[in-house]
Structure formats: structure tokens, C-alpha cells
Amino acid sequence: MLNVPSSIIRELYDLHRESALVFLAELPDYDIRFARNTEDIEWNGETWTKTWFEFDAIGESGEGKQPELNVTFSNIGGLVENEMIAHGNFAGATCNIYLVNSHCLDETD
């Protein structure tokens, strides 16, 4: 069973919250990390570069296929474009998505 730290539980149930939930996207095969945020994030010993991204809903298939998740990154300042060109458009890449609370960045589980 997962033991959730008390700091995260307090943030989840706080009615007047000053923190934000931040989506993080990691492409571990390419050592690339992005934060859907207005500033870079330090989390889990790594720097996550600010950029905008969104992902489509995961569809269901009755054919027993593994679902695919399409992630769309904004290309502000050409940051993502340079990485995509260098790595073949990330076709078939593994992308880990994390959801973290901005007041609990010291929690990594």
C-alpha cells in the first residue's frame, strides 16, 4: 500500500490553496524534461524546463491494442523544435507524465 506523505494530504484537502498542480513530462530515452508551467521547476533532483504541452484523452480499443497517448508541445522560442529535429520527432518515444504540487516539490514518491 502506498503511504502518502502528510504534506501532500494537507495540500489536497486545503480549501484555500495557494499552490498549483503542475504537469511534468519526461522523455527518459532522451534525458529531456518539461514542466507545464511559467517557470522552470526543480523536482526529484532534476530541472524541468518550462513549456506548454497538452495531451489527448486515452482512447479505448476493443482489439486488445495498447493505448497510445499523444502529447502536443508548444514551440515557443524554438526549444522543442530543436529537440524534435535532433531526435527524429520523438516517434514512438516513452513519455512519463507526473503531476506534482508546487508546495510539495520535496516529495518525490
Side-chain angles (χ1 to χ4, degrees):
M1 186 168 122
L2 178 64
N3 291 323
V4 179
S6 61
S7 60
I8 292 177
I9 293 172
R10 280 193 303 275
E11 283 294 327
L12 288 174
Y13 291 102
D14 188 4
L15 295 177
H16 178 69
R17 179 181 315 156
E18 294 180 11
S19 62
L21 294 176
V22 180
F23 284 93
L24 305 175
E26 176 185 39
L27 297 143
D29 298 335
Y30 305 108
D31 199 32
I32 296 172
R33 292 167 192 83
F34 294 118
R36 189 166 102 173
N37 200 29
T38 57
E39 58 187 28
D40 292 349
I41 296 277
E42 293 289 330
W43 182 73
N44 201 15
E46 304 289 347
T47 300
W48 302 73
T49 306
K50 65 180 177 185
T51 192
W52 181 260
F53 63 89
E54 55 190 30
F55 41 93
D56 299 336
I58 299 175
E60 292 185 29
S61 167
E63 301 171 6
K65 293 182 181 178
Q66 183 174 1
E68 292 183 0
L69 178 67
N70 292 315
V71 182
T72 305
F73 291 92
S74 175
N75 190 36
I76 297 172
L79 171 71
V80 177
E81 180 181 17
N82 293 336
E83 294 293 338
M84 288 184 73
I85 290 171
H87 298 99
N89 292 330
F90 301 130
T94 299
C95 182
N96 298 324
I97 304 291
Y98 302 96
L99 183 60
V100 299
N101 186 295
S102 63
H103 278 185
C104 300
L105 293 175
D106 57 332
E107 300 292 345
T108 58
D109 289 336

